[in-house]
Amino acid sequence: MNLLEYNIKNLEWPKLDDKLFDNSDSLKWMNACLNFIGREEKFYVYASGYRKAAEIIYSNLDSRGRYQDILVYPIVFLVRQSLELLLKDIIVTCYKILSVDKKIPKNHALVGLWLEIKSLLLEMHIENNQNGIKEMESLLYEFEKIDPISFAFRYPVDKNENDSLPGIKKID
């Protein structure tokens, strides 16, 4: 029996009374509270959640090196998602400060979001040449080159069925 057959045979199927989203108070200490802050602040809360999840997964990698080959995908995806939402959070905050009536950017392009932030900072007369800015920008460009629209670490192929992450053999 191959691994796939074994996994399917031993799969624990859901029961009819299982619920994906249980709104009851059966396990009050495990209930996650949603919608407790304003819409704009949610970007930061979501970003924090994705980052924390990545940190938890990363910090629990097996020291014997057994799971990093499969956990790299959710870790990097979670970090990228956190970055994207943090950039959007900064944009929303700048819009609010400048009283700009614009919609939240709908794209996933980290560099495009960063360029929007840079232009908003200029509009607000805030210097953006502090230490670390060029380094951060360089890393955003690197991230976007590998995963331009947030698909590479979510799916093994893109929408045209091309392999994700071609030519990349290792990530430390």
mmCIF file of all heavy atoms in Angstrom, residues 42-68:
data_model
loop_
_atom_site.group_PDB
_atom_site.id
_atom_site.type_symbol
_atom_site.label_atom_id
_atom_site.label_comp_id
_atom_site.label_asym_id
_atom_site.label_seq_id
_atom_site.Cartn_x
_atom_site.Cartn_y
_atom_site.Cartn_z
ATOM 1 N N LYS A 42 -8.604 46.409 11.431
ATOM 2 C CA LYS A 42 -8.595 44.971 11.163
ATOM 3 C C LYS A 42 -7.396 44.550 10.328
ATOM 4 O O LYS A 42 -6.912 43.432 10.463
ATOM 5 C CB LYS A 42 -9.883 44.539 10.466
ATOM 6 C CG LYS A 42 -11.054 44.477 11.398
ATOM 7 C CD LYS A 42 -12.282 43.963 10.670
ATOM 8 C CE LYS A 42 -13.472 43.973 11.606
ATOM 9 N NZ LYS A 42 -14.682 43.517 10.920
ATOM 10 N N PHE A 43 -6.892 45.413 9.462
ATOM 11 C CA PHE A 43 -5.725 45.048 8.670
ATOM 12 C C PHE A 43 -4.561 44.696 9.584
ATOM 13 O O PHE A 43 -3.870 43.712 9.366
ATOM 14 C CB PHE A 43 -5.326 46.184 7.713
ATOM 15 C CG PHE A 43 -6.165 46.219 6.475
ATOM 16 C CD1 PHE A 43 -7.301 47.003 6.421
ATOM 17 C CD2 PHE A 43 -5.826 45.464 5.364
ATOM 18 C CE1 PHE A 43 -8.090 47.024 5.292
ATOM 19 C CE2 PHE A 43 -6.609 45.475 4.224
ATOM 20 C CZ PHE A 43 -7.744 46.256 4.195
ATOM 21 N N TYR A 44 -4.354 45.506 10.602
ATOM 22 C CA TYR A 44 -3.263 45.238 11.535
ATOM 23 C C TYR A 44 -3.520 43.959 12.330
ATOM 24 O O TYR A 44 -2.603 43.158 12.536
ATOM 25 C CB TYR A 44 -3.058 46.428 12.485
ATOM 26 C CG TYR A 44 -1.897 46.199 13.414
ATOM 27 C CD1 TYR A 44 -0.591 46.342 12.952
ATOM 28 C CD2 TYR A 44 -2.106 45.802 14.726
ATOM 29 C CE1 TYR A 44 0.489 46.099 13.788
ATOM 30 C CE2 TYR A 44 -1.027 45.558 15.563
ATOM 31 C CZ TYR A 44 0.262 45.710 15.091
ATOM 32 O OH TYR A 44 1.320 45.453 15.912
ATOM 33 N N VAL A 45 -4.748 43.752 12.755
ATOM 34 C CA VAL A 45 -5.079 42.541 13.526
ATOM 35 C C VAL A 45 -4.879 41.294 12.668
ATOM 36 O O VAL A 45 -4.262 40.323 13.112
ATOM 37 C CB VAL A 45 -6.524 42.616 14.076
ATOM 38 C CG1 VAL A 45 -6.967 41.292 14.660
ATOM 39 C CG2 VAL A 45 -6.630 43.719 15.123
ATOM 40 N N TYR A 46 -5.367 41.309 11.441
ATOM 41 C CA TYR A 46 -5.164 40.163 10.549
ATOM 42 C C TYR A 46 -3.669 39.937 10.313
ATOM 43 O O TYR A 46 -3.173 38.806 10.372
ATOM 44 C CB TYR A 46 -5.855 40.399 9.202
ATOM 45 C CG TYR A 46 -7.317 40.047 9.138
ATOM 46 C CD1 TYR A 46 -8.246 40.582 10.031
ATOM 47 C CD2 TYR A 46 -7.786 39.194 8.157
ATOM 48 C CE1 TYR A 46 -9.592 40.264 9.944
ATOM 49 C CE2 TYR A 46 -9.131 38.874 8.055
ATOM 50 C CZ TYR A 46 -10.026 39.417 8.955
ATOM 51 O OH TYR A 46 -11.358 39.100 8.857
ATOM 52 N N ALA A 47 -2.941 41.035 10.011
ATOM 53 C CA ALA A 47 -1.505 40.928 9.759
ATOM 54 C C ALA A 47 -0.793 40.324 10.963
ATOM 55 O O ALA A 47 0.077 39.459 10.816
ATOM 56 C CB ALA A 47 -0.918 42.308 9.432
ATOM 57 N N SER A 48 -1.163 40.768 12.150
ATOM 58 C CA SER A 48 -0.559 40.244 13.381
ATOM 59 C C SER A 48 -0.846 38.757 13.541
ATOM 60 O O SER A 48 0.023 37.990 13.971
ATOM 61 C CB SER A 48 -1.080 40.996 14.602
ATOM 62 O OG SER A 48 -0.720 42.345 14.529
ATOM 63 N N GLY A 49 -2.050 38.345 13.197
ATOM 64 C CA GLY A 49 -2.410 36.929 13.288
ATOM 65 C C GLY A 49 -1.597 36.071 12.342
ATOM 66 O O GLY A 49 -1.094 35.005 12.723
ATOM 67 N N TYR A 50 -1.440 36.513 11.084
ATOM 68 C CA TYR A 50 -0.639 35.755 10.124
ATOM 69 C C TYR A 50 0.817 35.675 10.581
ATOM 70 O O TYR A 50 1.445 34.626 10.492
ATOM 71 C CB TYR A 50 -0.722 36.368 8.724
ATOM 72 C CG TYR A 50 -2.029 36.082 8.028
ATOM 73 C CD1 TYR A 50 -2.944 37.095 7.779
ATOM 74 C CD2 TYR A 50 -2.354 34.795 7.623
ATOM 75 C CE1 TYR A 50 -4.149 36.829 7.149
ATOM 76 C CE2 TYR A 50 -3.557 34.524 6.988
ATOM 77 C CZ TYR A 50 -4.447 35.547 6.750
ATOM 78 O OH TYR A 50 -5.626 35.285 6.126
ATOM 79 N N ARG A 51 1.333 36.800 11.070
ATOM 80 C CA ARG A 51 2.729 36.797 11.532
ATOM 81 C C ARG A 51 2.904 35.866 12.737
ATOM 82 O O ARG A 51 3.858 35.093 12.799
ATOM 83 C CB ARG A 51 3.171 38.205 11.896
ATOM 84 C CG ARG A 51 4.598 38.231 12.373
ATOM 85 C CD ARG A 51 5.062 39.585 12.805
ATOM 86 N NE ARG A 51 6.376 39.457 13.384
ATOM 87 C CZ ARG A 51 7.351 40.303 13.172
ATOM 88 N NH1 ARG A 51 7.159 41.337 12.392
ATOM 89 N NH2 ARG A 51 8.508 40.131 13.757
ATOM 90 N N LYS A 52 1.984 35.954 13.696
ATOM 91 C CA LYS A 52 2.085 35.109 14.888
ATOM 92 C C LYS A 52 2.015 33.632 14.505
ATOM 93 O O LYS A 52 2.757 32.808 15.041
ATOM 94 C CB LYS A 52 0.979 35.472 15.885
ATOM 95 C CG LYS A 52 1.143 34.808 17.224
ATOM 96 C CD LYS A 52 2.437 35.273 17.858
ATOM 97 C CE LYS A 52 2.588 34.808 19.268
ATOM 98 N NZ LYS A 52 3.913 35.111 19.801
ATOM 99 N N ALA A 53 1.127 33.292 13.577
ATOM 100 C CA ALA A 53 1.011 31.898 13.127
ATOM 101 C C ALA A 53 2.333 31.429 12.509
ATOM 102 O O ALA A 53 2.795 30.326 12.791
ATOM 103 C CB ALA A 53 -0.132 31.754 12.129
ATOM 104 N N ALA A 54 2.949 32.278 11.683
ATOM 105 C CA ALA A 54 4.240 31.924 11.081
ATOM 106 C C ALA A 54 5.296 31.724 12.159
ATOM 107 O O ALA A 54 6.084 30.773 12.105
ATOM 108 C CB ALA A 54 4.687 33.011 10.098
ATOM 109 N N GLU A 55 5.316 32.617 13.144
ATOM 110 C CA GLU A 55 6.294 32.505 14.237
ATOM 111 C C GLU A 55 6.089 31.220 15.037
ATOM 112 O O GLU A 55 7.058 30.549 15.402
ATOM 113 C CB GLU A 55 6.196 33.713 15.167
ATOM 114 C CG GLU A 55 6.701 34.999 14.555
ATOM 115 C CD GLU A 55 6.398 36.223 15.414
ATOM 116 O OE1 GLU A 55 5.718 36.111 16.463
ATOM 117 O OE2 GLU A 55 6.855 37.317 15.028
ATOM 118 N N ILE A 56 4.846 30.883 15.309
ATOM 119 C CA ILE A 56 4.548 29.667 16.076
ATOM 120 C C ILE A 56 4.995 28.429 15.306
ATOM 121 O O ILE A 56 5.641 27.535 15.857
ATOM 122 C CB ILE A 56 3.050 29.600 16.441
ATOM 123 C CG1 ILE A 56 2.716 30.655 17.495
ATOM 124 C CG2 ILE A 56 2.660 28.202 16.927
ATOM 125 C CD1 ILE A 56 1.219 30.864 17.716
ATOM 126 N N ILE A 57 4.662 28.390 14.017
ATOM 127 C CA ILE A 57 5.067 27.237 13.206
ATOM 128 C C ILE A 57 6.591 27.158 13.150
ATOM 129 O O ILE A 57 7.181 26.103 13.367
ATOM 130 C CB ILE A 57 4.468 27.302 11.787
ATOM 131 C CG1 ILE A 57 2.941 27.188 11.844
ATOM 132 C CG2 ILE A 57 5.046 26.193 10.912
ATOM 133 C CD1 ILE A 57 2.257 27.508 10.520
ATOM 134 N N TYR A 58 7.232 28.287 12.876
ATOM 135 C CA TYR A 58 8.692 28.302 12.761
ATOM 136 C C TYR A 58 9.365 27.875 14.064
ATOM 137 O O TYR A 58 10.290 27.073 14.058
ATOM 138 C CB TYR A 58 9.172 29.697 12.346
ATOM 139 C CG TYR A 58 10.665 29.779 12.199
ATOM 140 C CD1 TYR A 58 11.295 29.302 11.056
ATOM 141 C CD2 TYR A 58 11.452 30.322 13.211
ATOM 142 C CE1 TYR A 58 12.665 29.361 10.916
ATOM 143 C CE2 TYR A 58 12.827 30.378 13.085
ATOM 144 C CZ TYR A 58 13.424 29.903 11.942
ATOM 145 O OH TYR A 58 14.788 29.941 11.814
ATOM 146 N N SER A 59 8.887 28.396 15.171
ATOM 147 C CA SER A 59 9.524 28.083 16.452
ATOM 148 C C SER A 59 9.301 26.635 16.872
ATOM 149 O O SER A 59 10.004 26.134 17.742
ATOM 150 C CB SER A 59 9.030 29.033 17.552
ATOM 151 O OG SER A 59 7.682 28.790 17.845
ATOM 152 N N ASN A 60 8.348 25.966 16.252
ATOM 153 C CA ASN A 60 8.084 24.574 16.591
ATOM 154 C C ASN A 60 8.609 23.589 15.547
ATOM 155 O O ASN A 60 8.240 22.414 15.579
ATOM 156 C CB ASN A 60 6.580 24.353 16.803
ATOM 157 C CG ASN A 60 6.127 24.927 18.119
ATOM 158 O OD1 ASN A 60 6.432 24.394 19.176
ATOM 159 N ND2 ASN A 60 5.434 26.051 18.063
ATOM 160 N N LEU A 61 9.468 24.071 14.657
ATOM 161 C CA LEU A 61 10.067 23.139 13.704
ATOM 162 C C LEU A 61 10.868 22.099 14.466
ATOM 163 O O LEU A 61 11.543 22.408 15.444
ATOM 164 C CB LEU A 61 10.981 23.873 12.716
ATOM 165 C CG LEU A 61 10.281 24.618 11.588
ATOM 166 C CD1 LEU A 61 11.290 25.400 10.776
ATOM 167 C CD2 LEU A 61 9.505 23.673 10.700
ATOM 168 N N ASP A 62 10.786 20.904 14.011
ATOM 169 C CA ASP A 62 11.475 19.782 14.642
ATOM 170 C C ASP A 62 12.983 19.964 14.494
ATOM 171 O O ASP A 62 13.486 20.172 13.395
ATOM 172 C CB ASP A 62 11.020 18.494 13.948
ATOM 173 C CG ASP A 62 11.495 17.253 14.645
ATOM 174 O OD1 ASP A 62 12.701 17.161 14.941
ATOM 175 O OD2 ASP A 62 10.665 16.369 14.874
ATOM 176 N N SER A 63 13.703 19.876 15.587
ATOM 177 C CA SER A 63 15.153 20.066 15.558
ATOM 178 C C SER A 63 15.874 18.984 14.759
ATOM 179 O O SER A 63 17.030 19.146 14.406
ATOM 180 C CB SER A 63 15.704 20.113 16.982
ATOM 181 O OG SER A 63 15.458 18.879 17.636
ATOM 182 N N ARG A 64 15.203 17.896 14.480
ATOM 183 C CA ARG A 64 15.807 16.832 13.674
ATOM 184 C C ARG A 64 15.609 17.071 12.185
ATOM 185 O O ARG A 64 16.006 16.253 11.365
ATOM 186 C CB ARG A 64 15.218 15.480 14.080
ATOM 187 C CG ARG A 64 15.625 15.090 15.493
ATOM 188 C CD ARG A 64 14.862 13.904 15.932
ATOM 189 N NE ARG A 64 13.453 14.297 16.012
ATOM 190 C CZ ARG A 64 12.573 13.783 16.854
ATOM 191 N NH1 ARG A 64 12.930 12.842 17.667
ATOM 192 N NH2 ARG A 64 11.329 14.196 16.875
ATOM 193 N N GLY A 65 14.970 18.184 11.819
ATOM 194 C CA GLY A 65 14.822 18.531 10.417
ATOM 195 C C GLY A 65 13.842 17.678 9.647
ATOM 196 O O GLY A 65 14.112 17.303 8.522
ATOM 197 N N ARG A 66 12.700 17.373 10.266
ATOM 198 C CA ARG A 66 11.748 16.493 9.579
ATOM 199 C C ARG A 66 10.637 17.226 8.847
ATOM 200 O O ARG A 66 10.079 16.668 7.936
ATOM 201 C CB ARG A 66 11.123 15.527 10.585
ATOM 202 C CG ARG A 66 12.112 14.541 11.132
ATOM 203 C CD ARG A 66 11.440 13.474 11.905
ATOM 204 N NE ARG A 66 10.737 14.047 13.041
ATOM 205 C CZ ARG A 66 10.008 13.359 13.892
ATOM 206 N NH1 ARG A 66 9.856 12.078 13.730
ATOM 207 N NH2 ARG A 66 9.422 13.935 14.906
ATOM 208 N N TYR A 67 10.303 18.448 9.239
ATOM 209 C CA TYR A 67 9.099 19.068 8.680
ATOM 210 C C TYR A 67 9.337 20.366 7.904
ATOM 211 O O TYR A 67 8.407 20.888 7.305
ATOM 212 C CB TYR A 67 8.079 19.319 9.782
ATOM 213 C CG TYR A 67 7.640 18.038 10.452
ATOM 214 C CD1 TYR A 67 8.021 17.751 11.758
ATOM 215 C CD2 TYR A 67 6.870 17.110 9.767
ATOM 216 C CE1 TYR A 67 7.627 16.563 12.364
ATOM 217 C CE2 TYR A 67 6.478 15.925 10.368
ATOM 218 C CZ TYR A 67 6.859 15.660 11.670
ATOM 219 O OH TYR A 67 6.475 14.495 12.260
ATOM 220 N N GLN A 68 10.550 20.895 7.905
ATOM 221 C CA GLN A 68 10.759 22.174 7.243
ATOM 222 C C GLN A 68 10.482 22.114 5.746
ATOM 223 O O GLN A 68 10.078 23.115 5.160
ATOM 224 C CB GLN A 68 12.155 22.745 7.522
ATOM 225 C CG GLN A 68 13.292 22.034 6.850
ATOM 226 C CD GLN A 68 13.809 20.877 7.684
ATOM 227 O OE1 GLN A 68 13.180 20.453 8.641
ATOM 228 N NE2 GLN A 68 14.958 20.357 7.296
#
